[in-house]
Amino acid sequence: MAGVAAWSLARKDIKTLINSAQDFHDQTAVGWEDEEDIEELRTTTGKLASSSKAALDLSRRIEATYGDTIADLQAFKDTTIFSAKYRDHVSAFEDMVFVHMALPETMEPKVAAAVATKDSVLSSLSTFTRMAARRDDPAAAAFVRSFSCVSQAWDDAVKGAGLSLEDYAALRAFKDKSNASFHAADEPQQALLVLESNSPVPEDVQPYKEPLIALLRILSRP
């Protein structure tokens, strides 16, 4: 509602100008002897009052139509700027955690390959979290068993660096927040319904519509 408040404040300022112009218009004849000058001044101040009223009406229409949108855009801008300013510090902490990870000397080849870089570790941990919620799937359960040592090593390194797992989880969410508006995906089932409907798709992404439908059908399976 910040946009509405801003327009309300501006409207008060315009209203003050209107009142001042009107008062000046009504009192200009006092002490003046030249009728031609008086009439010209009255005409000018009358136009000023009329223009100010028009500006007030316009501000009311803008407030009614765009007030909340302006507030939302400002909030989005503030959040994005704040997140962009501080998220790199989370990345720097993750660099430190990666360097201090103590992984088992013997790991499955696919696990060892998946922890060669910090980004690959973070990607594997994201997959680990998703697969942990699907333990009824044999392949997901096997992945969790294979990568549990990576998850444990990462958690130990986070705590060893002096941060609680709860705080780290919050910081991960904060780091992702600046991307949230650009990657605000629906659940696969909902996204599939939208794509399969007659909802318009931008022309430049039309070539990707059918492949996306095929992908979402796979992800929507029980």
Side-chain angles (χ1 to χ4, degrees):
M1 299 300 291
V4 174
W7 278 113
S8 296
L9 182 60
R11 195 169 66 187
K12 289 180 181 178
D13 292 340
I14 294 172
K15 185 65 176 176
T16 299
L17 287 174
I18 292 174
N19 292 336
S20 297
Q22 191 65 56
D23 290 343
F24 186 58
H25 174 266
D26 295 338
Q27 298 172 15
T28 49
V30 178
W32 288 72
E33 297 179 357
D34 191 323
E35 289 296 331
E36 185 176 340
D37 288 343
I38 291 173
E39 186 58 33
E40 182 178 352
L41 190 57
R42 281 176 173 166
T43 300
T44 300
T45 54
K47 290 180 179 179
L48 175 60
S50 177
S51 297
S52 298
K53 288 178 181 178
L56 177 59
D57 290 340
L58 176 60
S59 75
R60 285 172 175 159
R61 291 197 297 273
I62 291 174
E63 177 182 324
T65 305
Y66 300 111
D68 289 340
T69 300
I70 292 171
D72 291 343
L73 288 172
Q74 185 62 50
F76 171 77
K77 176 185 175 183
D78 292 344
T79 297
T80 301
I81 289 175
F82 183 88
S83 298
K85 184 176 181 180
Y86 292 101
R87 59 175 290 159
D88 285 349
H89 298 298
V90 182
S91 294
F93 175 79
E94 289 172 336
D95 289 341
M96 181 171 60
V97 171
F98 175 70
V99 169
H100 289 88
M101 278 183 72
L103 290 165
E105 293 184 2
T106 57
M107 292 183 291
E108 297 178 41
K110 70 174 183 180
V111 176
V115 295
T117 67
K118 182 194 75 172
D119 288 342
S120 63
V121 170
L122 291 174
S123 177
S124 296
L125 291 174
S126 295
T127 303
F128 179 89
T129 300
R130 291 193 295 271
M131 294 303 102
R134 301 177 56 184
R135 289 178 180 270
D136 54 332
D137 180 340
F143 183 94
V144 170
R145 287 194 299 272
S146 296
F147 281 82
S148 60
C149 62
V150 178
S151 177
Q152 186 62 55
W154 184 267
D155 288 350
D156 290 344
V158 167
K159 291 184 289 186
L163 198 64
S164 71
L165 296 181
E166 292 76 12
D167 282 346
Y168 175 65
L171 289 170
R172 279 296 305 176
F174 164 72
K175 182 182 176 183
D176 294 338
K177 190 171 182 62
S178 61
N179 287 333
S181 296
F182 301 102
H183 303 284
D186 293 325
E187 290 297 318
Q189 296 86 346
Q190 180 61 34
L192 180 60
L193 285 174
V194 173
L195 270 186
E196 289 184 326
S197 71
N198 292 324
S199 298
V201 175
E203 184 177 349
D204 59 336
V205 296
Q206 277 287 352
Y208 312 118
K209 179 177 179 179
E210 292 305 321
L212 279 171
I213 288 175
L215 171 67
L216 290 169
R217 283 174 178 165
I218 293 172
L219 295 177
S220 298
R221 292 173 184 168

